[in-house]
Amino acid sequence: MPTVQRIQVGIVGAGPAGLVLSHLLHLHGIESIVLENRSRHYVEERVRAGVLEQNTVDLLTEMGVGERMKREGLVHYGIELRFNGRGHRIDFRELTGGKGITIYAQAEVLKDLNNARIATGGQVLFEVEDVSVHELDSSKPKMRYRKDGTEYEVHCDFIAGCDGFHGICRPSIPAGVLTEYDRMYPFGWLGILAEAPPSSDELIYAYHDRGFALLSMRSPHISRLYVQCEPDENIDNWSDDQIWRELRTRLASVNGWKLTEGPVQQKGITGMRSFVVEPMQYGNLFLAGDSAHIVPPTGAKGLNLAVTDVQILARALDKYYAHGSRDLLDSYSDTCLRRVWKVQRFSWWMTSMLHRFPNENPFDHRRQLAELDYVTSSRAAAKSLAENYVGLELEW
Ligand code: RFL
Ligand code: PHB
């Protein structure tokens, strides 16, 4: 017989969605338990996102986990779009009435959240095995897991599926309930982390005949760089020298700008996909973050979208526990999806504008250049990019 535990909200996954939700609920006086199958070290060292929207920064600050981010994060008020060897700045501050983005690694956000959960007595269990969810359409859904050889069953009021794209929550919903919307892109990103001071104060998104390149950063000493590659690329086929050569070529500028290089600390390939399931809830299971939707990284939106989902969910749960009202829980999926689809559109648009497509013809190429010319010369077009990049207002 499994050991039985009781909790208000069960959360699967200790990524940004799961940890932000757990801490927000704690601040509302709602108890949760987070089940994570990886080790804390693995979760905190995984190299992933780096761009935080203003809304994400504001929320982390209000939650009391923003102190190190304020100290170490790099605040940017623009990005550069580079094409035909020339750079064009999109000035966020001027176009959005003062908003910007903060460069602060996802791994650092997770360290700050884990520390906050531990300091406040939160239950975040790492390296749990065989997590499963049951009786989702009942008023007492259950999670089962094994830890150090003991079987547990957790009786919850609600379960939050924050277990990412490959998690178990979404596949636990009965067949026929969800509709999937999916698009694969015919390329991937090869990303490196390099011990090299960033060669630009702001991010550079480059469109080049040989494909897309991105210059980003993690700190004044560490650069994060990406090049468009084949979707099934084998990282072993790329030497560090080859990667730097490709970056130098694609980021080259007519004004003699120079790319700073240094030892490569880490490299990997990321696939590119757009994916949404509707609805994002079934009975008392609520999907949040990558478990419900994936965006290609060109708009830097995945983490931010995960955070807004759980912001919406935490408010709905708070209303339920404070006033017994289910209305915000019932409208959770609709509220999230309205934003999700706008962010999907933006991420798809940035991706379509900046990459070379294998089946494109000369018309497509000219059209992409015209799009870049338009977005960097029309105030209306630049403003649209800027308001999406810094993050759309939360409408709830
Ligand atoms: P996560 O981060 O995938 O966390 C899910 C957690 O669930 C755990 N898990 C399980 N736990 C228990 N039992 C199971 N059966 C489980 N199955 C899975 C996993 O171990 C994991 O810890 O999902 P979440 O919380 O929804 O967060 C989503 C973000 O991580 C993701 O969208 C971003 O990283 C995407 N992304 C970016 N987003 C941005 O907002 N800005 C960016 O600049 C940005 N850059 C990126 C990115 C993603 C990238 N990659 C590698 C996909 C750059 C890259 C290269
Ligand atoms: C990153 O720094 O990892 C990064 C920045 C911008 C993106 C995607 C990833 O669009």
Side-chain angles (χ1 to χ4, degrees), residues 170-206:
R170 191 181 68 248
S172 303
I173 296 175
V177 171
L178 300 178
T179 306
E180 297 190 355
Y181 301 86
D182 205 0
R183 171 186 286 256
M184 300 294 289
Y185 296 86
F187 39 75
W189 278 14
L190 188 163
I192 61 168
L193 204 59
E195 272 172 61
S199 355
S200 161
D201 290 340
E202 294 177 340
L203 271 60
I204 302 174
Y205 288 81

Side-chain angles (χ1 to χ4, degrees), residues 65-76:
V65 293
E67 199 189 305
R68 197 162 64 92
M69 172 185 67
K70 276 271 173 310
R71 230 179 23 245
E72 297 176 16
L74 308 171
V75 180
H76 288 187

Side-chain angles (χ1 to χ4, degrees), residues 48 50-51 189 203 205 214 216 218 224 226 297-300 389:
R48 296 186 91 180
V51 176
W189 278 14
L203 271 60
Y205 288 81
L214 170 62
S216 180
R218 288 293 177 268
R224 176 79 169 139
Y226 298 94
T298 328
Y389 200 98

Side-chain angles (χ1 to χ4, degrees), residues 4 9 18 30 38 40 113 138 160 166 208 211 248 257 267 299 307 358 363:
V4 172
V9 181
I30 301 165
R38 302 287 194 157
R40 180 171 174 188
L113 285 162
S138 79
H166 300 288
H208 188 272
R248 275 196 304 272
W257 173 90
K267 54 183 175 179
V307 167
F363 176 89

Side-chain angles (χ1 to χ4, degrees), residues 265-301:
Q265 291 178 337
Q266 191 269 355
K267 54 183 175 179
I269 310 265
T270 306
M272 306 276 283
R273 162 173 223 162
S274 302
F275 174 84
V276 182
V277 285
E278 292 188 1
M280 287 170 55
Q281 63 195 89
Y282 170 70
N284 283 317
L285 170 70
F286 297 84
L287 302 177
D290 279 15
S291 75
H293 41 69
I294 296 282
V295 285
T298 328
K301 289 289 170 229

